[in-house]
Amino acid sequence: MTTLIGIDPGLAQTGWGVVRFDGTRFRHVAHGVLETGPELGLPDRLRAIYEGVLSVIDEYHPDEAGVEELYFARNVASAIPVAHARGVVVLALGQRGVATGFYQPQQVKQAVIGRGRAEKGQVQRLVAVLLGLEQIPSPDHA
């Protein structure tokens, strides 16, 4: 059985989800969000994300990870803090020796929904169906 973790990095919210794959189907294990507030300085926020990701890795022992690629829209300034968060996520995975792949948001949506431009709500609903969850995973970063 393979344990996989998916991570959606962000400075305010870093979402994560853990599933197990037995060769034929995925089984939900856990999901959550690591949150940091603007009252903390950048170094403290990054340390909290780093330590939170290490904690999740140490609890669930993933064999592989998927990390969302940085998506540049119109606001490059908002992408810089996300890039910082993504860096500490990748560092934590690397330090624990977790094989890591990187995926564009459109690739994830295409794989789950069959459409790269699907809305987050559509992805959440189908993930709930695919994993047999009674409720839609929340918040959407998870």
Side-chain angles (χ1 to χ4, degrees):
M1 184 159 310
T2 303
T3 302
L4 309 165
I5 185 170
I7 302 178
D8 179 5
L11 189 59
Q13 293 185 322
T14 291
W16 59 271
V18 177
V19 296
R20 292 214 168 94
F21 183 64
D22 66 7
T24 59
R25 74 185 273 259
F26 289 96
R27 186 174 60 81
H28 174 265
V29 175
H31 67 275
V33 174
L34 306 169
E35 296 188 74
T36 67
E39 71 280 357
L40 298 175
L42 180 62
D44 290 330
R45 292 177 90 174
L46 294 175
R47 186 179 67 243
I49 294 166
Y50 171 76
E51 290 172 352
V53 170
L54 285 178
S55 178
V56 172
I57 292 168
D58 291 344
E59 182 170 352
Y60 297 105
H61 306 285
D63 301 297
E64 297 178 31
V67 176
E68 188 171 284
E69 285 279 8
L70 198 52
Y71 176 73
F72 285 96
R74 293 189 181 112
N75 191 350
V76 174
S78 68
I80 292 170
V82 175
H84 290 315
R86 186 173 178 275
V88 299
V89 165
V90 173
L91 174 63
L93 291 164
Q95 283 189 326
R96 291 297 192 260
V98 180
T100 304
F102 303 95
Y103 305 94
Q104 295 289 333
Q106 295 82 1
Q107 288 177 288
V108 175
K109 291 175 181 180
Q110 178 72 35
V112 174
I113 295 285
R115 246 177 6 109
R117 298 216 183 270
E119 298 293 324
K120 277 193 174 191
Q122 291 174 301
V123 176
Q124 286 175 282
R125 286 189 296 278
L126 193 51
V127 164
V129 170
L130 292 172
L131 296 177
L133 302 177
E134 292 181 15
Q135 296 180 1
I136 292 173
S138 178
D140 62 1
H141 290 287

